[in-house]
Amino acid sequence: MTPQELFELALSYYNGTDNIPQDYLKAYEQFLVAAEAGHVGAQSYLGRMLCMGEGVEQNYDEAVKWLKLAAEAGDADAQNRLGVRYQHGQGVEQNYNIAKEWFLCSATKGYSKAQVNLGLLYEEEEVGEQNYEEAVKWYRLAAEQGNTDAQYLLGCMYSDGKGVAQDYKQSMDWFLKLYESGDIDIANEIGYMYQMGHGVTQDYIEAYKWYLIAAENGYADAQRMIGSLYHQGLGVEKDHIKALEWYLKAADNDHSIAIYNVGCLYENAIGIEQNFQTAFQYFMRAANLGLAEAQYVVGLKYYRGEGVEMDLEEAKRWYTIAYENGNIGAATDLGYLEYGEYPEKAFEWSRRAAEQGNSYGQYNLARHYYWGMGVAKDYSEALKWYSKSAENNNPLAYNNIGVMY
């Protein structure tokens, strides 16, 4: 058999036909014979199968060998796959610049997957300076070919105003194209745009309809959003029991915000009997999934002994985790906890919170300077931070400014 005939037979085994059942191992064997005879398409498929572990054990080193041969011969799919290997350091040393070169070779041939990958490199600042305009250029080329990943990314760029003027209508148009092509989950984004009035007239009823499409398809964030609409009575009659039902559906899919919301319902006896222990369990579950707000609340519950035995060390630990994940208020609370025993630590936490704009952190920092706790007394610094806190509408700061004058 000629290399081309071997390649076609291998394709039949790879994809399966009416007469030939799918068999990756046989496909691999035929591709290998054709590849060794110099067939570029077979070399490309061999690289693909070795990357994916189809019919053979995954082997990036061997995959790269075959992908390089096909890529250097001009195969667009191989060029793209070789770029991915360099991007992630699989079978080769990680090198974003070489990845970009291979993506560019493939993308200029019109290969939409490479165009998306090239756009992502520019958007995520992996090839020098971030360049949203270049990202948009390549997303658009791929999107116009019907690449659904590119359509979603281009819609997001219009929504965020990255690389293009912010244009919610354009964003909605791309999301609707995705939905029309069969992407059910994008209904969640469309629902959000109706909820916020982005590119369309704000319409909570329409938002609910779109969220429901995605939610019934199992999309967790849409389930959480329906729970929120029932919780607030937006587009539907307020119903805390239904809110809880939808939050629980999203929670079953490990949606951290929904899990946190269930905890809030238990804590505040909304639609369900109040139970601080159960609330804490949900807060902890959300915290373990990385939700900073939940991590802060877990720290607060340990501090207050609500739903769990009081434990100041655990409170400090969870406040620290929450702060490291972006919750600025946690630094303020850490300042409170350390104030009596470790004033220098308390000062440092208050300083962090204050410099990031937290009004209570600013207030506490002013008190440190006023009383000389953990830092030398400095009335001018105290007045400065009381003033900043007051500007952020902290009534306690207004009182202290009055005392200083």
Side-chain angles (χ1 to χ4, degrees):
M1 296 177 70
T2 66
Q4 180 62 26
E5 289 170 336
L6 287 167
F7 175 71
E8 290 173 1
L9 177 60
L11 276 180
S12 297
Y13 280 122
Y14 186 83
N15 296 313
T17 68
D18 292 339
N19 302 316
I20 300 176
Q22 188 179 58
D23 188 327
Y24 284 139
L25 180 58
K26 287 184 178 179
Y28 179 84
E29 291 169 347
Q30 299 303 319
F31 280 137
L32 181 59
V33 176
E36 288 174 340
H39 194 284
V40 174
Q43 293 167 347
S44 181
Y45 265 91
L46 270 185
R48 171 179 176 168
M49 294 185 79
L50 286 159
C51 285
M52 304 294 290
E54 295 174 331
V56 291
E57 187 176 346
Q58 190 177 59
N59 187 328
Y60 288 123
D61 291 340
E62 190 69 11
V64 166
K65 180 184 87 172
W66 290 108
L67 288 174
K68 278 185 176 178
L69 288 171
E72 288 168 356
D75 185 277
D77 184 69
Q79 291 169 339
N80 178 59
R81 289 182 187 278
L82 186 56
V84 173
R85 304 288 78 78
Y86 275 105
Q87 182 181 16
H88 297 292
Q90 296 168 330
V92 290
E93 186 176 347
Q94 188 177 52
N95 189 314
Y96 290 122
N97 288 319
I98 296 177
K100 175 190 170 185
E101 291 172 7
W102 283 115
F103 287 148
L104 187 60
C105 286
S106 182
T108 52
K109 291 183 173 69
Y111 194 65
S112 67
K113 290 181 180 179
Q115 291 168 341
V116 170
N117 286 335
L118 188 56
L120 286 169
L121 282 185
Y122 280 114
E123 183 181 357
E124 296 172 5
E125 203 174 358
E126 291 180 342
V127 283
E129 289 188 13
Q130 204 166 41
N131 191 325
Y132 290 134
E133 289 79 9
E134 276 295 301
V136 166
K137 167 187 155 184
W138 290 107
Y139 291 155
R140 190 184 306 281
L141 288 170
E144 289 171 350
Q145 293 187 69
N147 184 292
T148 55
D149 290 334
Q151 290 171 345
Y152 173 73
L153 291 165
L154 187 57
C156 290
M157 298 298 268
Y158 273 111
S159 181
D160 296 337
K162 292 179 178 178
V164 288
Q166 190 174 57
D167 189 331
Y168 289 124
K169 188 178 183 307
Q170 283 276 0
S171 180
M172 176 67 93
D173 288 345
W174 283 110
F175 290 157
L176 286 170
K177 282 181 187 290
L178 267 176
Y179 181 73
E180 289 162 5
S181 70
D183 186 336
I184 303 301
D185 290 344
I186 198 64
N188 184 63
E189 299 291 339
I190 297 171
Y192 181 75
M193 296 190 79
Y194 272 108
Q195 182 176 351
M196 302 304 295
H198 289 170
V200 290
T201 302
Q202 189 177 51
D203 188 331
Y204 292 118
I205 295 173
E206 197 67 18
Y208 175 83
K209 290 177 183 177
W210 283 102
Y211 284 142
L212 189 61
I213 291 169
E216 290 180 339
N217 196 48
Y219 195 73
D221 194 52
Q223 294 168 338
R224 191 263 304 188
M225 293 305 296
I226 288 182
S228 179
L229 292 180
Y230 275 116
H231 193 165
Q232 299 175 74
L234 299 174
V236 291
E237 187 176 345
K238 185 179 287 190
D239 189 326
H240 291 141
I241 293 174
K242 286 186 178 179
L244 178 62
E245 289 173 357
W246 280 104
Y247 285 149
L248 285 170
K249 286 182 180 182
D252 287 341
N253 289 317
D254 285 336
H255 194 291
S256 61
I257 298 175
I259 294 167
Y260 174 79
N261 288 346
V262 174
C264 291
L265 293 182
Y266 271 106
E267 181 177 43
N268 296 298
I270 299 175
I272 197 166
E273 185 178 348
Q274 190 173 52
N275 190 317
F276 290 118
Q277 288 76 23
T278 302
F280 178 79
Q281 290 169 10
Y282 277 100
F283 291 143
M284 179 62 83
R285 185 177 160 198
N288 284 325
L289 288 170
L291 184 67
E293 182 64 22
Q295 292 164 345
Y296 171 80
V297 170
V298 167
L300 185 64
K301 298 307 173 189
Y302 273 117
Y303 173 67
R304 293 178 175 174
E306 292 178 350
V308 66
E309 186 176 348
M310 182 184 291
D311 188 328
L312 296 184
E313 290 307 311
E314 275 297 288
K316 290 178 186 179
R317 187 172 78 85
W318 280 104
Y319 280 146
T320 302
I321 293 170
Y323 174 77
E324 289 170 349
N325 285 320
N327 188 293
I328 308 307
T332 299
D333 284 29
L334 280 163
Y336 281 129
L337 281 173
E338 303 286 15
Y339 192 79
E341 190 173 359
Y342 301 105
E344 291 81 9
K345 284 186 180 180
F347 171 81
E348 178 60 24
W349 283 115
S350 296
R351 184 190 63 76
R352 293 185 192 184
E355 290 178 350
Q356 294 179 72
N358 183 280
S359 65
Y360 287 96
Q362 292 165 342
Y363 174 79
N364 290 337
L365 186 59
R367 291 177 70 228
H368 277 281
Y369 279 115
Y370 185 84
W371 295 108
M373 296 292 290
V375 66
K377 281 186 180 182
D378 188 327
Y379 291 129
S380 64
E381 280 293 300
L383 181 59
K384 180 181 90 172
W385 286 106
Y386 278 140
S387 298
K388 286 182 180 289
S389 182
E391 288 167 6
N392 285 321
N393 300 313
N394 187 331
L396 297 174
Y398 287 112
N399 293 335
N400 285 34
I401 290 173
V403 170
M404 291 190 73
Y405 280 109

